[in-house]
Amino acid sequence: LVTGPNGGGKSTLVAVLARQLEIAQGQYLVDGVDVRRLPLEEVRGLAAVVDDEPHVFATSLRENLRLALPAAGRDPAGEPASGTDGLLVDALRQAGLEAWLNGLPSGLDTRLGTGGRGVSGGERARLSIARAVLSGRPVLLLDEAVAHLDHATADAVLGDLLRTDDGRLPQTIVIVSHAPVEGRHVDVVVELAPPG
């Protein structure tokens, strides 16, 4: 858990870890190697970022998920293939959306967003987490990913994510939050100092 006041550098830290920003001083090592000596795309490919404004595209749930893993849920000709939907459904389950999926009129083919089914803030956050899990990246950076949710919903989202036990969970999860996070969800707390 990385916490601290607004303006304390939490999102900047996420941008550095995701290599969207370069470090100005100090070191950032991956397996003992300075990231500036590694290919940019290699380091970026290690982390999935979920921020506080996850986007839902005006297309099917399947296509919203496939952004993270284009081969999932499609046959070699590019057509939907229900026999390969397991990865998509597993990602939704890990994000706590299994019951939601089961209640959708057309399952994975339900259209979301404009002209389709509306998505609540909690569902939007969970869908973005499902995409991140589906990507298979070893590091998950949650940058205020549950900031707009009430405490009980935010706690449930994090609990569902961390409860999974099938080996697809990222090896490292960094939760960035200015709000309290249940201690049972974190191993290490880093508190950034106020600016100034």
Side-chain angles (χ1 to χ4, degrees), residues 62-178:
R62 178 192 312 278
E63 293 306 312
N64 268 278
L65 290 168
R66 288 185 64 249
L67 292 168
L69 189 63
R74 292 283 176 183
D75 67 18
E79 296 299 317
S82 59
T84 62
D85 286 346
L87 289 175
L88 304 179
V89 173
D90 284 348
L92 291 168
R93 181 183 49 76
Q94 289 173 21
L97 287 174
E98 186 173 27
W100 177 73
L101 170 64
N102 292 337
L104 293 176
S106 300
L108 290 169
D109 294 314
T110 300
R111 184 174 175 82
L112 304 178
T114 306
R117 185 189 185 284
V119 181
S120 73
E123 291 162 351
R124 188 178 301 267
R126 288 175 186 267
L127 180 56
S128 187
I129 289 171
R131 277 196 295 244
V133 169
L134 186 62
S135 76
R137 295 179 179 186
V139 178
L140 176 55
L141 304 171
L142 301 178
D143 187 7
E144 301 284 5
V146 294
H148 299 303
L149 307 179
D150 62 81
H151 180 73
T153 304
D155 185 54
V157 168
L158 293 176
D160 287 337
L161 173 64
L162 299 174
R163 193 170 15 255
T164 188
D165 60 0
D166 69 358
R168 282 197 55 86
L169 187 66
Q171 297 167 5
T172 302
I173 300 175
V174 177
I175 302 170
V176 173
S177 177
H178 67 274

Side-chain angles (χ1 to χ4, degrees), residues 2-11 144 176-179 190-196:
V2 178
T3 189
N6 288 336
K10 299 183 302 297
S11 291
E144 301 284 5
V176 173
S177 177
H178 67 274
V190 175
E191 187 164 353
L192 300 181

